[in-house]
Amino acid sequence: MTSHELSTRLGTLLRADQISTADEVRAEHGTDKWHASALPDVVVFAESTEDVVAVMKFASENKIPVYTRAAGTGHTGGCVPVHGGILLSVMRMNRILEINPSDGVCVTQPGVITGELQNAVREHGWYYPPDPASLKECSIGGNIATNAGGPRCLKYGVTKQYVLGLTVVLASGEILKTGGRCHKNSTGFDLTSLIVGCEGMLGIVTEITVRLIPHPQTRAMLGASFPDFTAAAAAVQAILDSGTLPSALEITDGFTMAAARDYLGADKLPPGDAYLMIEIDGNVETVARELPALHDFLLEHQALRIDTAPDEPSCERIWQLRRDFSYSLKHTGLTKLNEDIVVPRSKLVDLVNFAQQLQADTGIPVACFGHAGDGNIHTNIMVDNYADPATKKVADAALDRLFTWVIENGGVISGEHGIGLAKKPWIRQALGEVSIQTHLAVKKALDPTNILNPGKFLD
């Protein structure tokens, strides 16, 4: 079916302004923040669950691939329409339907930007904790697709811990309701958790009920530099062993520190080859007591310099430095292959040592920073030109060594970005054959003709 024929037939189901075959619209919706791209035959802008039902019934009858896309901020090519077909955008489904403090829930459509959802519930004194780095531009629907995390998942957990219920349109066009608005539910299989993280391969989420918690009264931070990564990692373990559970624990290696000095200026960063950011939150009295105690504790564990942030503006300055680390790596002019691997926390130093050896063996710089508290260290392979076949071959070989090492050391190849296209070559190694076959059985049960996001890691 040609783009024109597809558009014409969809035009009997939706308004004309919900359908586009314009080259620039198709190109915009054919990619995410990874390097892969492909053109869909048509882009459809859903505005309701009923729109999605109509599209899926049509697609199911005609066996047309459907790729669901929200804000397009993913890092793995998860929404790239590799087989053309229909690119179904849910970004017009961008309303917060209900904020109910009495029930401790918020009901939202998938196109709502995560940061805007957080701000909306904050006005009621409540808190939606998951905080991906891209929260000002990513959508809650995309967070559901990949089970997104963020720095504060150390204390508060990732997206799936906050999803109570979903409205899901299946490949057939049928509507599946999972969970609800109760905070405890042991009724039947946990289909909600099955959908969260499925990367759009099992159904299309059109309504989400998330759990809210009371917002902490205040927060404070410490930014501490260390002589090397080993000392910083030891401090991470010591903090947790002491009985303190920060809301965030972020670590940065020497390569990233050097890039930041080049980008921001040498005087903008403290001395040392590693940096640790610790955020604590809670009631005012507790935070006021914990902050100086944690400061003294870090001095006892080789901290070279500690910057104290007792209030909101100073906390934001430290978080801005964390955001600047990403910009610093981009400033090197190299392409950042951002791998969100996770290792057991005891393997943090081993991971960085391995990364340094990988850099020495391949000549490709490797930068490590991220969520030290849960072992989710973003290991960035920094390549000159990934589009060049020779460079890509060396980089892919380096990725293979990295993922193999991670798996052999009890880790996983994705903590919050998902698999998509980027990690597809390693999925069997990561999951094992029995797990792969179980995935395929679930996929066949819910999408027997494989029209939902085909071409990704289950194909």
Side-chain angles (χ1 to χ4, degrees), residues 154 222 233-246 249 276 278 280 289-298 300-301 345:
L154 167 64
L222 296 171
V236 169
Q237 194 61 54
I239 290 168
L240 296 171
D241 286 343
S242 73
T244 300
L245 181 60
L249 258 176
L276 193 62
I278 308 102
I280 57 175
R289 184 175 65 251
E290 286 185 351
L291 191 64
L294 190 53
H295 180 283
D296 294 343
F297 185 85
L298 291 173
E300 296 170 3
H301 287 81
R345 205 166 53 231

Side-chain angles (χ1 to χ4, degrees), residues 85-107:
I86 299 169
L87 191 292
L88 183 65
S89 170
V90 296
M91 287 308 290
R92 292 186 186 177
M93 299 177 67
N94 57 6
R95 291 185 299 127
I96 297 174
L97 303 174
E98 178 188 2
I99 298 174
N100 190 319
S102 296
D103 285 349
V105 301
C106 172
V107 183

